[in-house]
Amino acid sequence: MILSARGGAPGPGTPREQFDFQEPCLRASVKALGPEDVSSCTRS
């Protein structure tokens, strides 16, 4: 599980969604280590 906090609200459906690099990079890094099922909880 990935837990993260950030400011600026780049969540899904917002104009800043395209600038969300944190979660995709963390997901790829964790998946590279082996786990296939990665869930996340993010608070803005």
Side-chain angles (χ1 to χ4, degrees):
M1 177 179 278
I2 299 171
L3 299 174
S4 61
R6 58 185 171 208
T14 64
R16 300 178 81 176
E17 180 179 10
Q18 64 184 343
F19 300 113
D20 179 17
F21 298 104
Q22 181 182 18
E23 188 173 335
C25 287
L26 285 172
R27 281 181 176 276
S29 298
V30 171
K31 283 185 177 184
L33 296 173
E36 292 293 320
D37 184 24
V38 179
S39 60
S40 65
C41 178
T42 304
R43 295 295 278 168
S44 296

